[in-house]
Amino acid sequence: MNLVRSLCVAVVLMSVVLMSEAPVPAASSARYQIWHWNIAGHAYHLGSTTNGIIEAMGRSIGGRNPDFVSVNEICHNQYGALIDYLQQIGWPQNASNFARYEPMRPADGTSYCDGTGIGQALFSRFPLGATERYTLPYDGSTLQRKLLCAPVADKTSVKFCTTHVTFDRAYQAAQLTYVRKVLDRYHAQGDTAIIAGDFNVQPDDPLLDTWYDSSVDTANNTHNSGPYHELDDLDATCPGWGEQTTEGSLPLGSCGQPRKVDLVFAAADRLVSYTADSQPIGHVCGANRDKACSDHRILNAFATVTVAG
């Protein structure tokens, strides 16, 4: 009897040892390309889908073949037209599950955005999981600012997000803090999140000190204490700050450049390598294709990140 009991104890102890020594799934790495553009869908296009803006977006995405796409200030009818374009060129892996939209102003039958409403959109070359939608603290304007995120369906620890923060200084701190806390929560639960958008503040703004990693400490961007890298902060054009993302005649940014407000962030401890570039507007729109398609540049970024196993 004692022998049987001893054998049972030995088996239990061996099982405990084997369980304690079971390998923990290792994190893998993945390289993603991110494409972002604020197209000024109403301000520059009045909701048009026939003046060249859909072709401008579609040809750039088709030519660069990014993994994730973020579009700010896109009218709902433009969102639908871009879905059609991307389906036709075969960009998404799943033609029925690759796009998400979040309105900032609903359809109202007015001339604004041709009555269809305006918002922000994200697209993914990969099929997407359940949409995650957040409403930012209200700034009193006609637009309700949002944060829109979605995971990759077969790798749910990877999340892609887009946002468009208010330009009203009185409410920027509250909105930026809200967005950062959502990203912090994703990070704490083991996710790898990448966010692109028009933040309406520049890299050296004190409101982003709690975003930028402390290793970003240059004459152009200092006093940082956050956990994130902006994917253009290594650019030699303006170290710590990067390249302009807006077009304009007045140098209101850093290093003699116009403003930089379109940003792509990822957690510093998830990044293996990263880079980004803003692309001068090479497309024309308008009834006679005679105007720049936006006052913002296209931002194209690359990030190699670690992903939970």
Side-chain angles (χ1 to χ4, degrees), residues 63-104:
R64 295 183 179 279
N65 196 31
D67 299 294
F68 302 119
V69 166
S70 158
V71 185
N72 287 163
E73 292 189 37
I74 182 169
C75 301
H76 192 264
N77 59 334
Q78 295 166 337
Y79 168 71
L82 184 56
I83 286 177
D84 292 342
Y85 190 104
L86 295 177
Q87 288 172 331
Q88 289 169 11
I89 65 172
W91 178 72
Q93 293 180 356
N94 184 324
S96 62
N97 180 23
F98 73 101
R100 301 289 189 269
Y101 180 84
E102 183 63 20
M104 295 195 301

Side-chain angles (χ1 to χ4, degrees), residues 28-35 66-68 125-126 155 158-160 192-196 229-232 234 264-277 299-307:
S28 59
S29 64
R31 186 172 189 263
Y32 297 112
Q33 182 180 358
I34 305 99
W35 185 103
D67 299 294
F68 302 119
R125 198 162 55 83
F126 316 107
K155 194 172 289 188
V158 176
K159 296 181 185 290
F160 182 58
T192 297
I194 300 171
I195 184 171
H229 277 296
E230 200 279 309
L231 301 191
D232 197 33
L234 294 176
V264 184
F265 284 102
D269 65 358
R270 298 281 199 273
L271 283 166
V272 177
S273 63
Y274 62 95
T275 186
D277 284 294
L299 187 58
N300 198 57
F302 293 86
T304 299
V305 293
T306 56
V307 178

